[in-house]
């Protein structure tokens, strides 16, 4: 097919179509509206269905309905709209339904603004809705990676009968880059015998519900869910490292921030500072291995985020007190520049002025 | 080779398409590219800008804070971005609408009366292409042919009749650079 220049939001939509997603329910919100518009045009072309719901809450419940029939379905939004979907997401987990949900994060809290942010990290990784649950969260940093991760997201969703979140920021949604949609390989087959598509007299009724009034039964269901989360934690960890082998200090960043950090790291390397990068691709499950491998020999980590410091908590847990963890972040839709990150590196690694933070 | 370019002007002057044409042309020439629009709660007649990165290496930051080249099409854009051009960099200014002249001596400045020239060519909407022609000719990292190829990708077929005037605008800009 060759390379095409596309916007991140459009890439998300086209990749979903490539992954055989044929149903989309959503409500437009900047900075992800191009995804909605693309689906409105594209899905009818492939025999799918696009429906603009009256609200985000309606959209996520339509997703619930479609997912109950075993089809591949998607919805997308940006921070305030994503918050509205939380009840439905909890229901999807409780009823064990596969779906892909995109959050192109913007500045918050509240209505905030429409500029890029990563301040929904807690919400996506720690369970934004009610109940004990986790959802796999994938955070692409390039448009080509969106293609690959969107395809994977649908497979993970079907494999575990679970919603999967793709998290990007406004910059990733709005920017253009060349992407290539590779020749389609045969989609993996997943068991959909649970789907409520009618019994046709061939068995008892199938029921999809998250309601379980008996406490013992609900505890049993929770135990099964926890087993599933444990398996995801084992199987679905993704990350990338860059120059960590000899690094004295390691930057931890994901999504577009990781790209910006890359420039700063390269510049620091030119001046002889040994800086590396750990880029979590799955935000949940959070990659612990690259920290276990490096935490005893590095002098410290710097978590760089477009938030007031959210991922840093997972970084600290993974580092587990073996090395200091520093932080640089911008909030409210301000994007950290490569110059700022470089300056942070110099301050921390160059030892210009650095105070250990409570020895952790 | 790493080019970090910012193009800025009023909404409607074609600054976004200029950036996209550079990105497309870079892609045609098998370079790594990114295009990032400034987006926000903008209004008609407000300012718009985009950042384009063209590189032999993988593109790191799509966000550009110290551009190697800046093309400004109006006054507010000049005020905002002229100080940000990195030393040794390039500033191309549409002097038909930009009143101020750059006094910086550490950058190359090219002033072109692009809007007036576009009107002389018969279409004020090709202002951007004159400036783009000048940029391509001066910076020499992309060929004019690739830009013309890109036009075919950006324009729908019913607009193909506009390719000729766009070509002439590119040429005009390129010729003007010869005197700088």
């Amino acid at each position: 097919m060759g390379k095409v220049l596309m916007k991140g939001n459009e890439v998300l939509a086209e990749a979903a179509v490539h992954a055989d997603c044929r149903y989309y329910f959503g409500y437009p919100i900047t900075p992800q509206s191009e995804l909605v518009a693309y689906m409105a045009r594209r899905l009818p072309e492939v025999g799918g269905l696009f429906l603009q719901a009256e609200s985000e809450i309606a959209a996520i419940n339509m997703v619930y309905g479609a997912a109950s029939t075993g089809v591949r379905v998607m919805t997308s939004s940006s921070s305030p709209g994503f918050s509205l979907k939380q009840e439905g997401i909890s229901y999807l987990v409780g009823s064990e339904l596969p779906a892909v949900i995109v959050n192109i994060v913007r500045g918050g809290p509240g209505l905030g603004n429409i500029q890029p942010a990563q301040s929904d990290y807690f919400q996506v990784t720690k369970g934004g809705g009610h109940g004990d649950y986790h959802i796999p969260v994938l955070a692409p940093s390039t448009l080509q990676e969106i293609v690959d991760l969107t395809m994977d997201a649908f497979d993970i969703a079907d494999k575990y009968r679970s919603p999967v979140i793709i998290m990007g920021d406004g910059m990733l949604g709005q920017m253009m880059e060349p992407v290539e949609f590779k020749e389609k390989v045969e989609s993996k087959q997943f068991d959909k015998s649970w789907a409520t598509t009618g019994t046709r007299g061939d068995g008892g009724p199938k029921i999809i519900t998250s309601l379980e009034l008996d406490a013992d039964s609900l505890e049993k269901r929770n135990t099964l869910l926890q087993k599933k989360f444990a398996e995801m934690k084992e199987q679905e960890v993704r990350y990338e490292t860059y120059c960590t082998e000899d690094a004295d200090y390691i930057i931890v960043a994901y999504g577009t921030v990781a790209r910006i950090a890359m420039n700063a790291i390269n510049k620091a390397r030119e001046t002889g500072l040994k800086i590396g990068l750990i880029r979590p691709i799955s935000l949940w499950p959070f990659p612990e291995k690259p920290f276990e491998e490096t935490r005893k020999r590095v002098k410290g980590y710097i978590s760089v985020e477009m938030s007031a410091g959210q991922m840093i908590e997972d970084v600290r847990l993974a580092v587990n007190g073996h090395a200091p963890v520093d932080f640089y972040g911008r909030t409210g839709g301000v994007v950290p520049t490569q110059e700022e990150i470089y300056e942070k590196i110099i301050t921390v690694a160059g030892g210009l002025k650095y105070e250990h933070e409570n020895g952790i | 080779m790493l080019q970090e370019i910012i193009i800025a002007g009023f909404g409607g002057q074609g600054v976004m398409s200029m950036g996209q044409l550079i990105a497309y042309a870079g892609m045609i020439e098998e370079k790594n590219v990114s295009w990032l629009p400034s987006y926000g709660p903008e209004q008609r007649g407000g300012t718009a800008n985009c950042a384009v990165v063209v590189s032999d290496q993988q593109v790191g930051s799509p966000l550009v804070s110290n551009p190697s080249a800046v093309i400004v099409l109006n006054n507010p854009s000049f005020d905002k971005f002229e100080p940000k051009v990195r030393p040794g960099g390039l500033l191309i200014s549409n002097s038909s609408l930009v009143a101020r002249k750059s006094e910086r001596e550490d950058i190359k400045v090219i002033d072109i009366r692009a809007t007036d020239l576009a009107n002389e060519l018969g279409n004020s909407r090709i202002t951007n292409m004159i400036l783009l022609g000048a940029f391509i000719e001066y910076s020499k990292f992309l060929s004019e042919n690739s830009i013309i190829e890109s036009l075919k990708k950006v324009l729908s077929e019913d607009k193909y009749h506009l390719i000729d005037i766009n070509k002439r605008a590119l040429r005009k800009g390129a010729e003007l650079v010869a005197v700088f």
Side-chain angles (χ1 to χ4, degrees):
Chain A
M1 193 175 154
K3 283 191 173 172
V4 281
L5 195 65
M6 287 174 84
K7 265 196 169 190
N9 285 328
E10 297 170 344
V11 177
L12 275 157
E14 183 57 35
V17 172
H18 270 252
D20 289 331
C21 170
R22 289 294 177 270
Y23 296 86
Y24 177 93
F25 307 95
Y27 189 84
I29 179 171
T30 309
Q32 65 82 57
S33 295
E34 293 87 353
L35 202 171
V36 188
Y38 192 94
M39 281 305 206
R41 180 176 63 75
R42 187 74 171 101
L43 279 178
E45 286 176 3
V46 292
L49 179 116
F50 164 88
L51 201 152
Q52 180 176 323
E54 67 269 36
S55 74
E56 287 85 351
I57 299 172
I60 192 71
N61 286 296
M62 289 173 184
V63 166
Y64 183 103
S68 302
T69 68
V71 297
R72 287 196 154 177
V73 56
M74 182 191 223
T75 186
S76 63
S77 195
S78 178
S79 307
F82 184 74
S83 286
L84 286 170
K85 292 182 195 289
Q86 295 310 315
E87 181 197 43
I89 294 173
S90 171
Y91 277 50
L92 286 167
V93 176
S95 306
E96 297 196 79
L97 288 172
V100 173
I101 303 148
V102 176
N103 182 8
I104 299 297
V105 183
R106 60 188 240 182
L111 209 45
N113 60 21
I114 59 176
Q115 309 303 328
Q118 295 181 321
S119 42
D120 297 356
Y121 181 93
F122 283 153
Q123 190 180 30
V124 295
T125 58
K126 312 291 176 191
H130 56 282
D132 268 324
Y133 74 86
H134 282 292
I135 294 179
V137 183
L138 301 174
S141 83
T142 66
L143 270 50
Q144 188 61 51
E145 195 176 33
I146 290 180
V147 176
D148 305 332
L149 291 183
T150 306
M151 312 278 262
D152 290 351
F154 280 98
D155 282 347
I156 296 171
D158 275 340
K159 183 177 170 193
Y160 297 96
R161 286 182 62 182
S162 166
V164 174
I165 293 168
I166 299 175
M167 173 159 149
D169 61 74
M171 200 168 18
L172 193 75
Q174 293 296 321
M175 68 184 282
M176 284 177 113
E177 257 182 339
V179 289
E180 191 169 7
F181 292 90
K182 287 158 202 121
E183 278 305 307
K184 231 179 130 222
V185 281
E186 195 64 21
S187 299
K188 286 182 203 159
Q189 292 300 312
F190 295 94
D191 173 33
K192 295 271 171 118
S193 57
W194 48 265
T196 53
T197 49
T199 63
R200 295 173 195 83
D202 57 1
K206 293 165 189 165
I207 298 165
I208 303 271
T209 180
S210 62
L211 181 71
E212 194 81 75
L213 290 173
D214 179 63
D216 287 336
S217 305
L218 186 54
E219 187 174 48
K220 263 189 206 124
R221 185 186 286 224
N222 266 289
T223 309
L224 285 175
L225 285 175
Q226 289 300 325
K227 220 176 116 189
K228 184 158 89 175
F229 302 148
E231 196 189 333
M232 289 171 176
K233 239 181 143 170
E234 198 66 39
Q235 304 286 330
E236 304 303 333
V237 177
R238 287 150 203 253
Y239 63 92
E240 200 176 73
T241 59
Y242 175 69
C243 294
T244 49
E245 300 76 19
D246 65 341
D248 289 329
Y249 291 88
I250 292 179
I251 291 199
V252 191
Y254 65 96
T256 45
V257 178
R259 305 173 59 138
I260 300 171
M262 234 6 174
N263 282 22
I265 291 167
N266 288 337
K267 195 173 163 197
R269 286 243 157 209
E270 280 168 24
T271 64
L273 290 171
K274 288 177 180 163
I275 313 294
L277 173 77
I278 294 175
R279 177 171 75 89
I281 297 171
S282 59
L283 303 183
W284 192 91
F286 190 77
E288 286 165 7
K289 198 166 150 235
F291 294 94
E292 285 160 7
E293 287 168 356
T294 54
R295 67 194 185 190
K296 285 189 180 145
R297 58 179 164 79
V298 301
K299 292 179 186 156
Y301 298 85
I302 309 169
S303 188
V304 182
E305 306 174 44
M306 276 195 281
S307 74
Q310 301 194 7
M311 180 178 67
I312 189 173
E313 295 191 1
D314 286 330
V315 174
R316 283 208 181 107
L317 285 170
V319 172
N320 204 12
H322 288 279
V325 180
D326 210 307
F327 176 73
Y328 184 74
R330 298 298 301 262
T331 61
V334 181
V335 180
T337 64
Q338 43 182 309
E339 290 79 11
E340 288 166 10
I341 301 173
Y342 177 70
E343 199 182 321
K344 180 71 189 179
I345 292 173
I346 295 293
T347 325
V348 174
L352 293 180
K353 185 172 151 244
Y354 178 53
E355 284 158 13
H356 281 202
E357 219 183 10
N358 305 327
I360 304 176
Chain B
M1 194 277 297
L2 172 67
Q3 287 280 341
E4 295 178 302
I5 307 147
I6 287 179
I7 307 169
F10 287 127
Q13 280 185 311
V15 298
M16 296 299 179
S17 3
M18 281 169 86
Q20 284 182 10
L21 285 171
I22 294 171
Y24 264 115
M27 189 177 91
I28 289 171
E29 297 189 13
E30 294 184 353
K31 296 184 164 67
N32 295 296
V33 299
S34 72
W35 175 89
L36 178 71
S38 69
Y39 71 94
E42 311 287 8
Q43 58 191 27
R44 193 165 55 164
T47 57
N49 72 76
C50 65
V52 183
V53 180
V54 184
S55 174
D56 292 326
Q57 311 292 320
Q58 209 183 330
V59 177
S61 174
L63 193 76
V64 174
S65 28
N66 293 107
S68 55
V70 164
I71 307 174
V72 291
L73 280 76
N74 66 0
N75 272 325
S77 302
F78 179 95
D79 295 344
K80 187 168 177 190
F81 293 110
E82 184 255 359
K84 292 190 176 164
V85 181
R86 78 172 66 134
L90 169 68
L91 173 74
I92 297 183
S93 172
N94 174 19
S95 52
S96 301
L97 297 179
V98 177
R100 276 181 58 201
K101 298 265 174 274
S102 175
E103 281 163 15
R104 285 182 62 179
E105 286 176 358
D106 59 341
I107 59 170
K108 173 74 185 173
V109 181
I110 297 178
D111 291 323
I112 292 180
R113 294 184 304 113
T115 307
D116 298 328
L117 293 166
N119 284 329
E120 284 165 25
L121 280 174
N123 188 341
S124 66
R125 290 165 70 183
I126 53 167
T127 303
N128 61 343
M129 296 303 282
I130 295 176
L131 294 164
L132 186 57
F135 174 66
I136 296 298
E137 177 68 16
Y138 185 82
S139 56
K140 289 196 166 44
F141 70 98
L142 290 171
S143 79
E144 204 172 295
N145 270 340
S146 305
I147 297 284
I148 293 162
E149 274 307 299
S150 312
L151 264 175
K152 291 177 187 158
K153 288 183 187 262
V154 175
L155 294 173
S156 55
E157 273 184 39
D158 59 320
K159 298 271 166 59
Y160 272 20
H161 63 278
L162 294 172
I163 288 178
D164 187 53
I165 190 162
N166 277 288
K167 270 187 188 171
R168 280 194 284 143
L170 283 170
R171 227 20 355 252
K172 184 81 194 167
E175 283 161 12
L176 288 169
V177 163
V179 303
F180 282 93

